Amino acid sequence: MNTQQNNTDVDVVVVGGGPVGLTLALLLADDGARISVIESMTAPGDLPRAISIADESFRILDRLGLADTLKAESYLDTGARYFGLGDRMLAQSKPSPSRTGHPAKSQFDQPVLEQLLWDRAVEHPAIDFRMGERAVAITQDETSVTVTTRSQDGVTSTVVGSWLAGADGGRSFTRDALGVPLVGSTQEERWVVVDLLNTTREKEPYAEFHGNGDRPYVLVPGIKGRLRLEFMMLPGDDAEEITRPEKIRELVLPFHPQVTPEDVRRAVVYVAHRRLAKTYRVGRAFLVGDAGHLMPPFSGQGLNAGLRDASNLAWKLRAVLDGVATERLLDSYESERRTHAKKMVRISHITGSIVMARGVAAVARDVVFAVARLFPPVHAYLSGMRFITPPDYAAGIAVKPGREVDPRLAEAVGKAMSQPKVESAEGTASPLDAHLGTGWAILELGGKGTGQVARNPFWNGVPRLRLRPRGHHRGPEETGPSDLIDLTGAFVDPTRPLEVPHAVVVRPDRYVAGVFTAADEARVVAELRTYVDLSRSVDRSRRKENR
């Protein structure tokens, strides 16, 4: 074996160059960290695995400058339809309108996303992208993590990082090397997934779940003639036989009558899993994406959960690298992300059970849906897809609001921050995120002449924005880049003005960490200080040359 010592010292080693690993690497690198990415492949993946993308995922990708390009290749703002016996429609659902400034649910093409992320990572000066290398050993001590890699021609090298993130998928080497077991179960039902090109079938913006009691199937439309079909395998079906070209043609002909072999991008059998890593952290190493959670695909949450992992971990590692975080901050990664992933695993399993029902179970399912239509609250819950709950970090890095906080703002604590359109002093309208930078931020809410609410030196390193209501007439002191008009009334509504000025504390991942008035500032500062010292935090502007 050809052995070569090639030590590289970086801030964070990311094992796995898929969409989750590269998102994490780019978020950190854009914030000034030195990153090494270890990836066994030499080119981005070209198979359409994940197919549904949530609003928060677009928001994360927007920070990397990739959201608009991906949207151009996506079927935006889609919903779902559920069919029962006799192909009767049981329910039609569409997510409630998103507050984040992006479509709540869309269908995308994973190879497009992987190419966008790969190209940015290759070009990024702060990323050491080790393509064609796989991790073969991981060791750590109190100050660093060492990863041994082996190239395709047998050359070994080592990478030493202050921290490590394992983003190497469901069969994660990192997870195994850290000795972390998976807990949960593997679903008994097998499915065959077929991805097609050049379909001409008229499409509506809905994924279709057909629980016909015979061979349940799922149909997910895309743009540019893309179509995904998923068929449940029945007892006695052979995986090799059902994926033969002639059998695949038989299955897809009703949906693509002119199908040719070239139209079949992929035809594979999978077994759905419901499993979580027992822990997301071992010392200086963390698990993200499928390395930490495996879930059935029926609610389209797998990749979205992974991108949330990346966004959540990135800012916490950055704070540690800056020397402003406590150990509690890193521990919060698992408490925030594993809790939500567990919920999504359960919801995905329930959705799959509805689709896969057969026999008496299918009859019972249809009756339940028929009865649900008679009760408006239940019907609204289902039709608004409220069962797919977004993360709520109120029990994590967030401070419970005091009694004097306006209820409209109090309910935002722990949740993703709303993103209204705002207007600058020059009259330019843009999303609020465009003004927040990459770190923490404070939104000062109140009328003219209210002054600052956040006065404690704890906030010295945090940029502030002042939001005024629509129709507000700017005074001479309100013409700077931090003075903005809330055009949609998400934070300051001219028809329902706040009684006293408020401050909203926004985390780097765009979640609300706290809302307070001047009277309660000291308590909020004391609680946040147990996680991070914002008086020494660094406000970084993303360098345009890295986009």
mmCIF file with all atom_site columns, all heavy atoms in Angstrom, residues 279-281 283 286 312-313 316 320 326-338 397 531:
data_model
loop_
_atom_site.group_PDB
_atom_site.id
_atom_site.type_symbol
_atom_site.label_atom_id
_atom_site.label_alt_id
_atom_site.label_comp_id
_atom_site.label_asym_id
_atom_site.label_entity_id
_atom_site.label_seq_id
_atom_site.pdbx_PDB_ins_code
_atom_site.Cartn_x
_atom_site.Cartn_y
_atom_site.Cartn_z
_atom_site.occupancy
_atom_site.B_iso_or_equiv
_atom_site.pdbx_formal_charge
_atom_site.auth_seq_id
_atom_site.auth_comp_id
_atom_site.auth_asym_id
_atom_site.auth_atom_id
_atom_site.pdbx_PDB_model_num
ATOM 1   N N   . THR A 1 279 ? -27.380 8.930  20.150 1.00 0.00 ? 279 THR A N   1
ATOM 2   C CA  . THR A 1 279 ? -26.910 10.262 20.508 1.00 0.00 ? 279 THR A CA  1
ATOM 3   C C   . THR A 1 279 ? -26.379 10.941 19.261 1.00 0.00 ? 279 THR A C   1
ATOM 4   O O   . THR A 1 279 ? -25.938 10.274 18.323 1.00 0.00 ? 279 THR A O   1
ATOM 5   C CB  . THR A 1 279 ? -25.814 10.209 21.599 1.00 0.00 ? 279 THR A CB  1
ATOM 6   O OG1 . THR A 1 279 ? -25.402 11.542 21.912 1.00 0.00 ? 279 THR A OG1 1
ATOM 7   C CG2 . THR A 1 279 ? -24.603 9.425  21.114 1.00 0.00 ? 279 THR A CG2 1
ATOM 8   N N   . TYR A 1 280 ? -26.457 12.251 19.230 1.00 0.00 ? 280 TYR A N   1
ATOM 9   C CA  . TYR A 1 280 ? -25.948 13.019 18.086 1.00 0.00 ? 280 TYR A CA  1
ATOM 10  C C   . TYR A 1 280 ? -24.540 13.555 18.328 1.00 0.00 ? 280 TYR A C   1
ATOM 11  O O   . TYR A 1 280 ? -23.951 14.179 17.443 1.00 0.00 ? 280 TYR A O   1
ATOM 12  C CB  . TYR A 1 280 ? -26.872 14.208 17.801 1.00 0.00 ? 280 TYR A CB  1
ATOM 13  C CG  . TYR A 1 280 ? -28.107 13.896 16.986 1.00 0.00 ? 280 TYR A CG  1
ATOM 14  C CD1 . TYR A 1 280 ? -28.577 12.597 16.828 1.00 0.00 ? 280 TYR A CD1 1
ATOM 15  C CD2 . TYR A 1 280 ? -28.815 14.922 16.375 1.00 0.00 ? 280 TYR A CD2 1
ATOM 16  C CE1 . TYR A 1 280 ? -29.713 12.333 16.094 1.00 0.00 ? 280 TYR A CE1 1
ATOM 17  C CE2 . TYR A 1 280 ? -29.958 14.666 15.635 1.00 0.00 ? 280 TYR A CE2 1
ATOM 18  C CZ  . TYR A 1 280 ? -30.411 13.374 15.498 1.00 0.00 ? 280 TYR A CZ  1
ATOM 19  O OH  . TYR A 1 280 ? -31.538 13.120 14.767 1.00 0.00 ? 280 TYR A OH  1
ATOM 20  N N   . ARG A 1 281 ? -24.022 13.328 19.529 1.00 0.00 ? 281 ARG A N   1
ATOM 21  C CA  . ARG A 1 281 ? -22.698 13.878 19.856 1.00 0.00 ? 281 ARG A CA  1
ATOM 22  C C   . ARG A 1 281 ? -21.892 12.888 20.667 1.00 0.00 ? 281 ARG A C   1
ATOM 23  O O   . ARG A 1 281 ? -22.387 12.276 21.609 1.00 0.00 ? 281 ARG A O   1
ATOM 24  C CB  . ARG A 1 281 ? -22.837 15.179 20.655 1.00 0.00 ? 281 ARG A CB  1
ATOM 25  C CG  . ARG A 1 281 ? -21.490 15.798 21.012 1.00 0.00 ? 281 ARG A CG  1
ATOM 26  C CD  . ARG A 1 281 ? -21.613 17.010 21.917 1.00 0.00 ? 281 ARG A CD  1
ATOM 27  N NE  . ARG A 1 281 ? -20.298 17.566 22.190 1.00 0.00 ? 281 ARG A NE  1
ATOM 28  C CZ  . ARG A 1 281 ? -20.045 18.530 23.068 1.00 0.00 ? 281 ARG A CZ  1
ATOM 29  N NH1 . ARG A 1 281 ? -21.038 19.061 23.762 1.00 0.00 ? 281 ARG A NH1 1
ATOM 30  N NH2 . ARG A 1 281 ? -18.811 18.964 23.250 1.00 0.00 ? 281 ARG A NH2 1
ATOM 31  N N   . GLY A 1 283 ? -18.153 13.464 22.275 1.00 0.00 ? 283 GLY A N   1
ATOM 32  C CA  . GLY A 1 283 ? -16.977 14.316 22.427 1.00 0.00 ? 283 GLY A CA  1
ATOM 33  C C   . GLY A 1 283 ? -16.993 15.492 21.471 1.00 0.00 ? 283 GLY A C   1
ATOM 34  O O   . GLY A 1 283 ? -17.882 16.339 21.500 1.00 0.00 ? 283 GLY A O   1
ATOM 35  N N   . PHE A 1 286 ? -19.970 15.133 15.865 1.00 0.00 ? 286 PHE A N   1
ATOM 36  C CA  . PHE A 1 286 ? -21.425 15.252 15.773 1.00 0.00 ? 286 PHE A CA  1
ATOM 37  C C   . PHE A 1 286 ? -21.935 14.484 14.558 1.00 0.00 ? 286 PHE A C   1
ATOM 38  O O   . PHE A 1 286 ? -21.198 14.284 13.585 1.00 0.00 ? 286 PHE A O   1
ATOM 39  C CB  . PHE A 1 286 ? -21.838 16.724 15.640 1.00 0.00 ? 286 PHE A CB  1
ATOM 40  C CG  . PHE A 1 286 ? -21.429 17.591 16.793 1.00 0.00 ? 286 PHE A CG  1
ATOM 41  C CD1 . PHE A 1 286 ? -20.142 18.126 16.855 1.00 0.00 ? 286 PHE A CD1 1
ATOM 42  C CD2 . PHE A 1 286 ? -22.310 17.854 17.820 1.00 0.00 ? 286 PHE A CD2 1
ATOM 43  C CE1 . PHE A 1 286 ? -19.751 18.920 17.923 1.00 0.00 ? 286 PHE A CE1 1
ATOM 44  C CE2 . PHE A 1 286 ? -21.934 18.646 18.897 1.00 0.00 ? 286 PHE A CE2 1
ATOM 45  C CZ  . PHE A 1 286 ? -20.648 19.184 18.938 1.00 0.00 ? 286 PHE A CZ  1
ATOM 46  N N   . ASN A 1 312 ? -28.448 24.330 12.154 1.00 0.00 ? 312 ASN A N   1
ATOM 47  C CA  . ASN A 1 312 ? -28.418 24.411 13.606 1.00 0.00 ? 312 ASN A CA  1
ATOM 48  C C   . ASN A 1 312 ? -26.997 24.240 14.141 1.00 0.00 ? 312 ASN A C   1
ATOM 49  O O   . ASN A 1 312 ? -26.553 24.988 15.025 1.00 0.00 ? 312 ASN A O   1
ATOM 50  C CB  . ASN A 1 312 ? -29.343 23.337 14.183 1.00 0.00 ? 312 ASN A CB  1
ATOM 51  C CG  . ASN A 1 312 ? -29.559 23.469 15.674 1.00 0.00 ? 312 ASN A CG  1
ATOM 52  O OD1 . ASN A 1 312 ? -28.673 23.196 16.476 1.00 0.00 ? 312 ASN A OD1 1
ATOM 53  N ND2 . ASN A 1 312 ? -30.755 23.899 16.058 1.00 0.00 ? 312 ASN A ND2 1
ATOM 54  N N   . LEU A 1 313 ? -26.275 23.267 13.604 1.00 0.00 ? 313 LEU A N   1
ATOM 55  C CA  . LEU A 1 313 ? -24.929 22.988 14.108 1.00 0.00 ? 313 LEU A CA  1
ATOM 56  C C   . LEU A 1 313 ? -23.922 24.036 13.659 1.00 0.00 ? 313 LEU A C   1
ATOM 57  O O   . LEU A 1 313 ? -22.995 24.373 14.411 1.00 0.00 ? 313 LEU A O   1
ATOM 58  C CB  . LEU A 1 313 ? -24.482 21.602 13.643 1.00 0.00 ? 313 LEU A CB  1
ATOM 59  C CG  . LEU A 1 313 ? -23.104 21.131 14.124 1.00 0.00 ? 313 LEU A CG  1
ATOM 60  C CD1 . LEU A 1 313 ? -23.052 21.078 15.647 1.00 0.00 ? 313 LEU A CD1 1
ATOM 61  C CD2 . LEU A 1 313 ? -22.755 19.772 13.519 1.00 0.00 ? 313 LEU A CD2 1
ATOM 62  N N   . LYS A 1 316 ? -23.496 27.125 15.920 1.00 0.00 ? 316 LYS A N   1
ATOM 63  C CA  . LYS A 1 316 ? -23.013 26.768 17.253 1.00 0.00 ? 316 LYS A CA  1
ATOM 64  C C   . LYS A 1 316 ? -21.516 26.437 17.218 1.00 0.00 ? 316 LYS A C   1
ATOM 65  O O   . LYS A 1 316 ? -20.761 26.842 18.116 1.00 0.00 ? 316 LYS A O   1
ATOM 66  C CB  . LYS A 1 316 ? -23.840 25.608 17.807 1.00 0.00 ? 316 LYS A CB  1
ATOM 67  C CG  . LYS A 1 316 ? -25.292 26.019 18.061 1.00 0.00 ? 316 LYS A CG  1
ATOM 68  C CD  . LYS A 1 316 ? -26.214 24.887 18.429 1.00 0.00 ? 316 LYS A CD  1
ATOM 69  C CE  . LYS A 1 316 ? -27.641 25.422 18.630 1.00 0.00 ? 316 LYS A CE  1
ATOM 70  N NZ  . LYS A 1 316 ? -28.620 24.373 18.931 1.00 0.00 ? 316 LYS A NZ  1
ATOM 71  N N   . VAL A 1 320 ? -18.291 28.504 19.043 1.00 0.00 ? 320 VAL A N   1
ATOM 72  C CA  . VAL A 1 320 ? -17.230 27.851 19.795 1.00 0.00 ? 320 VAL A CA  1
ATOM 73  C C   . VAL A 1 320 ? -15.870 28.237 19.224 1.00 0.00 ? 320 VAL A C   1
ATOM 74  O O   . VAL A 1 320 ? -14.922 28.546 19.970 1.00 0.00 ? 320 VAL A O   1
ATOM 75  C CB  . VAL A 1 320 ? -17.418 26.325 19.777 1.00 0.00 ? 320 VAL A CB  1
ATOM 76  C CG1 . VAL A 1 320 ? -16.202 25.630 20.383 1.00 0.00 ? 320 VAL A CG1 1
ATOM 77  C CG2 . VAL A 1 320 ? -18.665 25.937 20.548 1.00 0.00 ? 320 VAL A CG2 1
ATOM 78  N N   . THR A 1 326 ? -20.518 28.519 25.480 1.00 0.00 ? 326 THR A N   1
ATOM 79  C CA  . THR A 1 326 ? -20.316 27.592 26.587 1.00 0.00 ? 326 THR A CA  1
ATOM 80  C C   . THR A 1 326 ? -20.603 26.168 26.107 1.00 0.00 ? 326 THR A C   1
ATOM 81  O O   . THR A 1 326 ? -21.125 25.955 25.016 1.00 0.00 ? 326 THR A O   1
ATOM 82  C CB  . THR A 1 326 ? -21.257 27.925 27.765 1.00 0.00 ? 326 THR A CB  1
ATOM 83  O OG1 . THR A 1 326 ? -22.612 27.621 27.366 1.00 0.00 ? 326 THR A OG1 1
ATOM 84  C CG2 . THR A 1 326 ? -21.161 29.398 28.147 1.00 0.00 ? 326 THR A CG2 1
ATOM 85  N N   . GLU A 1 327 ? -20.280 25.207 26.953 1.00 0.00 ? 327 GLU A N   1
ATOM 86  C CA  . GLU A 1 327 ? -20.525 23.812 26.604 1.00 0.00 ? 327 GLU A CA  1
ATOM 87  C C   . GLU A 1 327 ? -22.014 23.547 26.397 1.00 0.00 ? 327 GLU A C   1
ATOM 88  O O   . GLU A 1 327 ? -22.407 22.693 25.595 1.00 0.00 ? 327 GLU A O   1
ATOM 89  C CB  . GLU A 1 327 ? -19.978 22.906 27.702 1.00 0.00 ? 327 GLU A CB  1
ATOM 90  C CG  . GLU A 1 327 ? -19.949 21.423 27.349 1.00 0.00 ? 327 GLU A CG  1
ATOM 91  C CD  . GLU A 1 327 ? -18.913 21.083 26.278 1.00 0.00 ? 327 GLU A CD  1
ATOM 92  O OE1 . GLU A 1 327 ? -18.021 21.913 26.015 1.00 0.00 ? 327 GLU A OE1 1
ATOM 93  O OE2 . GLU A 1 327 ? -19.021 19.992 25.703 1.00 0.00 ? 327 GLU A OE2 1
ATOM 94  N N   . ARG A 1 328 ? -22.863 24.283 27.105 1.00 0.00 ? 328 ARG A N   1
ATOM 95  C CA  . ARG A 1 328 ? -24.313 24.095 26.969 1.00 0.00 ? 328 ARG A CA  1
ATOM 96  C C   . ARG A 1 328 ? -24.785 24.366 25.551 1.00 0.00 ? 328 ARG A C   1
ATOM 97  O O   . ARG A 1 328 ? -25.761 23.771 25.090 1.00 0.00 ? 328 ARG A O   1
ATOM 98  C CB  . ARG A 1 328 ? -25.052 25.027 27.930 1.00 0.00 ? 328 ARG A CB  1
ATOM 99  C CG  . ARG A 1 328 ? -24.990 24.648 29.390 1.00 0.00 ? 328 ARG A CG  1
ATOM 100 C CD  . ARG A 1 328 ? -25.938 25.526 30.193 1.00 0.00 ? 328 ARG A CD  1
ATOM 101 N NE  . ARG A 1 328 ? -27.330 25.154 29.952 1.00 0.00 ? 328 ARG A NE  1
ATOM 102 C CZ  . ARG A 1 328 ? -28.367 25.934 30.244 1.00 0.00 ? 328 ARG A CZ  1
ATOM 103 N NH1 . ARG A 1 328 ? -28.161 27.149 30.757 1.00 0.00 ? 328 ARG A NH1 1
ATOM 104 N NH2 . ARG A 1 328 ? -29.608 25.534 30.012 1.00 0.00 ? 328 ARG A NH2 1
ATOM 105 N N   . LEU A 1 329 ? -24.118 25.277 24.860 1.00 0.00 ? 329 LEU A N   1
ATOM 106 C CA  . LEU A 1 329 ? -24.539 25.605 23.508 1.00 0.00 ? 329 LEU A CA  1
ATOM 107 C C   . LEU A 1 329 ? -24.390 24.393 22.596 1.00 0.00 ? 329 LEU A C   1
ATOM 108 O O   . LEU A 1 329 ? -25.299 24.065 21.823 1.00 0.00 ? 329 LEU A O   1
ATOM 109 C CB  . LEU A 1 329 ? -23.727 26.778 22.957 1.00 0.00 ? 329 LEU A CB  1
ATOM 110 C CG  . LEU A 1 329 ? -24.177 27.273 21.580 1.00 0.00 ? 329 LEU A CG  1
ATOM 111 C CD1 . LEU A 1 329 ? -25.524 27.973 21.676 1.00 0.00 ? 329 LEU A CD1 1
ATOM 112 C CD2 . LEU A 1 329 ? -23.145 28.211 20.962 1.00 0.00 ? 329 LEU A CD2 1
ATOM 113 N N   . LEU A 1 330 ? -23.252 23.701 22.682 1.00 0.00 ? 330 LEU A N   1
ATOM 114 C CA  . LEU A 1 330 ? -23.048 22.518 21.848 1.00 0.00 ? 330 LEU A CA  1
ATOM 115 C C   . LEU A 1 330 ? -24.002 21.396 22.238 1.00 0.00 ? 330 LEU A C   1
ATOM 116 O O   . LEU A 1 330 ? -24.500 20.665 21.378 1.00 0.00 ? 330 LEU A O   1
ATOM 117 C CB  . LEU A 1 330 ? -21.604 22.040 21.943 1.00 0.00 ? 330 LEU A CB  1
ATOM 118 C CG  . LEU A 1 330 ? -20.559 22.910 21.238 1.00 0.00 ? 330 LEU A CG  1
ATOM 119 C CD1 . LEU A 1 330 ? -19.180 22.291 21.386 1.00 0.00 ? 330 LEU A CD1 1
ATOM 120 C CD2 . LEU A 1 330 ? -20.901 23.095 19.771 1.00 0.00 ? 330 LEU A CD2 1
ATOM 121 N N   . ASP A 1 331 ? -24.273 21.242 23.519 1.00 0.00 ? 331 ASP A N   1
ATOM 122 C CA  . ASP A 1 331 ? -25.208 20.201 23.953 1.00 0.00 ? 331 ASP A CA  1
ATOM 123 C C   . ASP A 1 331 ? -26.612 20.451 23.397 1.00 0.00 ? 331 ASP A C   1
ATOM 124 O O   . ASP A 1 331 ? -27.387 19.504 23.196 1.00 0.00 ? 331 ASP A O   1
ATOM 125 C CB  . ASP A 1 331 ? -25.266 20.147 25.482 1.00 0.00 ? 331 ASP A CB  1
ATOM 126 C CG  . ASP A 1 331 ? -24.012 19.538 26.095 1.00 0.00 ? 331 ASP A CG  1
ATOM 127 O OD1 . ASP A 1 331 ? -23.284 18.829 25.377 1.00 0.00 ? 331 ASP A OD1 1
ATOM 128 O OD2 . ASP A 1 331 ? -23.761 19.775 27.288 1.00 0.00 ? 331 ASP A OD2 1
ATOM 129 N N   . SER A 1 332 ? -26.941 21.712 23.134 1.00 0.00 ? 332 SER A N   1
ATOM 130 C CA  . SER A 1 332 ? -28.282 22.033 22.648 1.00 0.00 ? 332 SER A CA  1
ATOM 131 C C   . SER A 1 332 ? -28.519 21.532 21.230 1.00 0.00 ? 332 SER A C   1
ATOM 132 O O   . SER A 1 332 ? -29.668 21.417 20.799 1.00 0.00 ? 332 SER A O   1
ATOM 133 C CB  . SER A 1 332 ? -28.524 23.548 22.695 1.00 0.00 ? 332 SER A CB  1
ATOM 134 O OG  . SER A 1 332 ? -27.784 24.221 21.688 1.00 0.00 ? 332 SER A OG  1
ATOM 135 N N   . TYR A 1 333 ? -27.450 21.221 20.491 1.00 0.00 ? 333 TYR A N   1
ATOM 136 C CA  . TYR A 1 333 ? -27.658 20.699 19.131 1.00 0.00 ? 333 TYR A CA  1
ATOM 137 C C   . TYR A 1 333 ? -28.490 19.426 19.189 1.00 0.00 ? 333 TYR A C   1
ATOM 138 O O   . TYR A 1 333 ? -29.475 19.274 18.452 1.00 0.00 ? 333 TYR A O   1
ATOM 139 C CB  . TYR A 1 333 ? -26.318 20.433 18.435 1.00 0.00 ? 333 TYR A CB  1
ATOM 140 C CG  . TYR A 1 333 ? -26.475 19.610 17.175 1.00 0.00 ? 333 TYR A CG  1
ATOM 141 C CD1 . TYR A 1 333 ? -27.152 20.121 16.078 1.00 0.00 ? 333 TYR A CD1 1
ATOM 142 C CD2 . TYR A 1 333 ? -25.991 18.303 17.106 1.00 0.00 ? 333 TYR A CD2 1
ATOM 143 C CE1 . TYR A 1 333 ? -27.331 19.360 14.931 1.00 0.00 ? 333 TYR A CE1 1
ATOM 144 C CE2 . TYR A 1 333 ? -26.164 17.540 15.973 1.00 0.00 ? 333 TYR A CE2 1
ATOM 145 C CZ  . TYR A 1 333 ? -26.836 18.061 14.880 1.00 0.00 ? 333 TYR A CZ  1
ATOM 146 O OH  . TYR A 1 333 ? -27.021 17.299 13.752 1.00 0.00 ? 333 TYR A OH  1
ATOM 147 N N   . GLU A 1 334 ? -28.114 18.502 20.050 1.00 0.00 ? 334 GLU A N   1
ATOM 148 C CA  . GLU A 1 334 ? -28.878 17.245 20.133 1.00 0.00 ? 334 GLU A CA  1
ATOM 149 C C   . GLU A 1 334 ? -30.277 17.473 20.689 1.00 0.00 ? 334 GLU A C   1
ATOM 150 O O   . GLU A 1 334 ? -31.260 16.937 20.166 1.00 0.00 ? 334 GLU A O   1
ATOM 151 C CB  . GLU A 1 334 ? -28.142 16.226 20.990 1.00 0.00 ? 334 GLU A CB  1
ATOM 152 C CG  . GLU A 1 334 ? -28.957 14.964 21.205 1.00 0.00 ? 334 GLU A CG  1
ATOM 153 C CD  . GLU A 1 334 ? -28.152 13.807 21.773 1.00 0.00 ? 334 GLU A CD  1
ATOM 154 O OE1 . GLU A 1 334 ? -26.925 13.785 21.594 1.00 0.00 ? 334 GLU A OE1 1
ATOM 155 O OE2 . GLU A 1 334 ? -28.773 12.914 22.376 1.00 0.00 ? 334 GLU A OE2 1
ATOM 156 N N   . SER A 1 335 ? -30.403 18.274 21.746 1.00 0.00 ? 335 SER A N   1
ATOM 157 C CA  . SER A 1 335 ? -31.717 18.449 22.366 1.00 0.00 ? 335 SER A CA  1
ATOM 158 C C   . SER A 1 335 ? -32.690 19.132 21.412 1.00 0.00 ? 335 SER A C   1
ATOM 159 O O   . SER A 1 335 ? -33.889 18.831 21.419 1.00 0.00 ? 335 SER A O   1
ATOM 160 C CB  . SER A 1 335 ? -31.592 19.247 23.663 1.00 0.00 ? 335 SER A CB  1
ATOM 161 O OG  . SER A 1 335 ? -31.094 20.550 23.420 1.00 0.00 ? 335 SER A OG  1
ATOM 162 N N   . GLU A 1 336 ? -32.197 20.028 20.566 1.00 0.00 ? 336 GLU A N   1
ATOM 163 C CA  . GLU A 1 336 ? -33.084 20.697 19.621 1.00 0.00 ? 336 GLU A CA  1
ATOM 164 C C   . GLU A 1 336 ? -33.370 19.839 18.395 1.00 0.00 ? 336 GLU A C   1
ATOM 165 O O   . GLU A 1 336 ? -34.523 19.698 17.979 1.00 0.00 ? 336 GLU A O   1
ATOM 166 C CB  . GLU A 1 336 ? -32.471 22.035 19.187 1.00 0.00 ? 336 GLU A CB  1
ATOM 167 C CG  . GLU A 1 336 ? -32.479 23.091 20.286 1.00 0.00 ? 336 GLU A CG  1
ATOM 168 C CD  . GLU A 1 336 ? -32.053 24.463 19.812 1.00 0.00 ? 336 GLU A CD  1
ATOM 169 O OE1 . GLU A 1 336 ? -31.436 24.560 18.716 1.00 0.00 ? 336 GLU A OE1 1
ATOM 170 O OE2 . GLU A 1 336 ? -32.332 25.447 20.511 1.00 0.00 ? 336 GLU A OE2 1
ATOM 171 N N   . ARG A 1 337 ? -32.342 19.255 17.818 1.00 0.00 ? 337 ARG A N   1
ATOM 172 C CA  . ARG A 1 337 ? -32.532 18.584 16.534 1.00 0.00 ? 337 ARG A CA  1
ATOM 173 C C   . ARG A 1 337 ? -33.030 17.138 16.681 1.00 0.00 ? 337 ARG A C   1
ATOM 174 O O   . ARG A 1 337 ? -33.865 16.692 15.890 1.00 0.00 ? 337 ARG A O   1
ATOM 175 C CB  . ARG A 1 337 ? -31.211 18.593 15.738 1.00 0.00 ? 337 ARG A CB  1
ATOM 176 C CG  . ARG A 1 337 ? -30.858 19.964 15.212 1.00 0.00 ? 337 ARG A CG  1
ATOM 177 C CD  . ARG A 1 337 ? -31.953 20.596 14.370 1.00 0.00 ? 337 ARG A CD  1
ATOM 178 N NE  . ARG A 1 337 ? -32.432 19.672 13.340 1.00 0.00 ? 337 ARG A NE  1
ATOM 179 C CZ  . ARG A 1 337 ? -33.702 19.530 13.037 1.00 0.00 ? 337 ARG A CZ  1
ATOM 180 N NH1 . ARG A 1 337 ? -34.652 20.213 13.655 1.00 0.00 ? 337 ARG A NH1 1
ATOM 181 N NH2 . ARG A 1 337 ? -34.053 18.675 12.085 1.00 0.00 ? 337 ARG A NH2 1
ATOM 182 N N   . ARG A 1 338 ? -32.537 16.399 17.643 1.00 0.00 ? 338 ARG A N   1
ATOM 183 C CA  . ARG A 1 338 ? -32.990 15.004 17.751 1.00 0.00 ? 338 ARG A CA  1
ATOM 184 C C   . ARG A 1 338 ? -34.460 14.945 18.146 1.00 0.00 ? 338 ARG A C   1
ATOM 185 O O   . ARG A 1 338 ? -35.207 14.072 17.688 1.00 0.00 ? 338 ARG A O   1
ATOM 186 C CB  . ARG A 1 338 ? -32.132 14.244 18.752 1.00 0.00 ? 338 ARG A CB  1
ATOM 187 C CG  . ARG A 1 338 ? -32.369 12.726 18.723 1.00 0.00 ? 338 ARG A CG  1
ATOM 188 C CD  . ARG A 1 338 ? -31.434 11.987 19.673 1.00 0.00 ? 338 ARG A CD  1
ATOM 189 N NE  . ARG A 1 338 ? -31.610 10.541 19.551 1.00 0.00 ? 338 ARG A NE  1
ATOM 190 C CZ  . ARG A 1 338 ? -32.553 9.842  20.152 1.00 0.00 ? 338 ARG A CZ  1
ATOM 191 N NH1 . ARG A 1 338 ? -33.444 10.446 20.926 1.00 0.00 ? 338 ARG A NH1 1
ATOM 192 N NH2 . ARG A 1 338 ? -32.628 8.518  19.987 1.00 0.00 ? 338 ARG A NH2 1
ATOM 193 N N   . ILE A 1 397 ? -32.371 26.964 22.952 1.00 0.00 ? 397 ILE A N   1
ATOM 194 C CA  . ILE A 1 397 ? -31.747 28.286 23.075 1.00 0.00 ? 397 ILE A CA  1
ATOM 195 C C   . ILE A 1 397 ? -32.815 29.336 22.840 1.00 0.00 ? 397 ILE A C   1
ATOM 196 O O   . ILE A 1 397 ? -32.930 29.953 21.771 1.00 0.00 ? 397 ILE A O   1
ATOM 197 C CB  . ILE A 1 397 ? -30.595 28.460 22.069 1.00 0.00 ? 397 ILE A CB  1
ATOM 198 C CG1 . ILE A 1 397 ? -29.684 27.246 22.072 1.00 0.00 ? 397 ILE A CG1 1
ATOM 199 C CG2 . ILE A 1 397 ? -29.791 29.729 22.406 1.00 0.00 ? 397 ILE A CG2 1
ATOM 200 C CD1 . ILE A 1 397 ? -29.034 26.965 23.383 1.00 0.00 ? 397 ILE A CD1 1
ATOM 201 N N   . TYR A 1 531 ? -25.360 30.354 27.556 1.00 0.00 ? 531 TYR A N   1
ATOM 202 C CA  . TYR A 1 531 ? -25.030 29.678 26.299 1.00 0.00 ? 531 TYR A CA  1
ATOM 203 C C   . TYR A 1 531 ? -23.935 30.397 25.514 1.00 0.00 ? 531 TYR A C   1
ATOM 204 O O   . TYR A 1 531 ? -23.079 29.757 24.902 1.00 0.00 ? 531 TYR A O   1
ATOM 205 C CB  . TYR A 1 531 ? -26.271 29.586 25.406 1.00 0.00 ? 531 TYR A CB  1
ATOM 206 C CG  . TYR A 1 531 ? -27.390 28.749 25.958 1.00 0.00 ? 531 TYR A CG  1
ATOM 207 C CD1 . TYR A 1 531 ? -28.511 29.337 26.532 1.00 0.00 ? 531 TYR A CD1 1
ATOM 208 C CD2 . TYR A 1 531 ? -27.321 27.359 25.905 1.00 0.00 ? 531 TYR A CD2 1
ATOM 209 C CE1 . TYR A 1 531 ? -29.551 28.561 27.029 1.00 0.00 ? 531 TYR A CE1 1
ATOM 210 C CE2 . TYR A 1 531 ? -28.352 26.572 26.402 1.00 0.00 ? 531 TYR A CE2 1
ATOM 211 C CZ  . TYR A 1 531 ? -29.466 27.179 26.964 1.00 0.00 ? 531 TYR A CZ  1
ATOM 212 O OH  . TYR A 1 531 ? -30.490 26.408 27.465 1.00 0.00 ? 531 TYR A OH  1
#
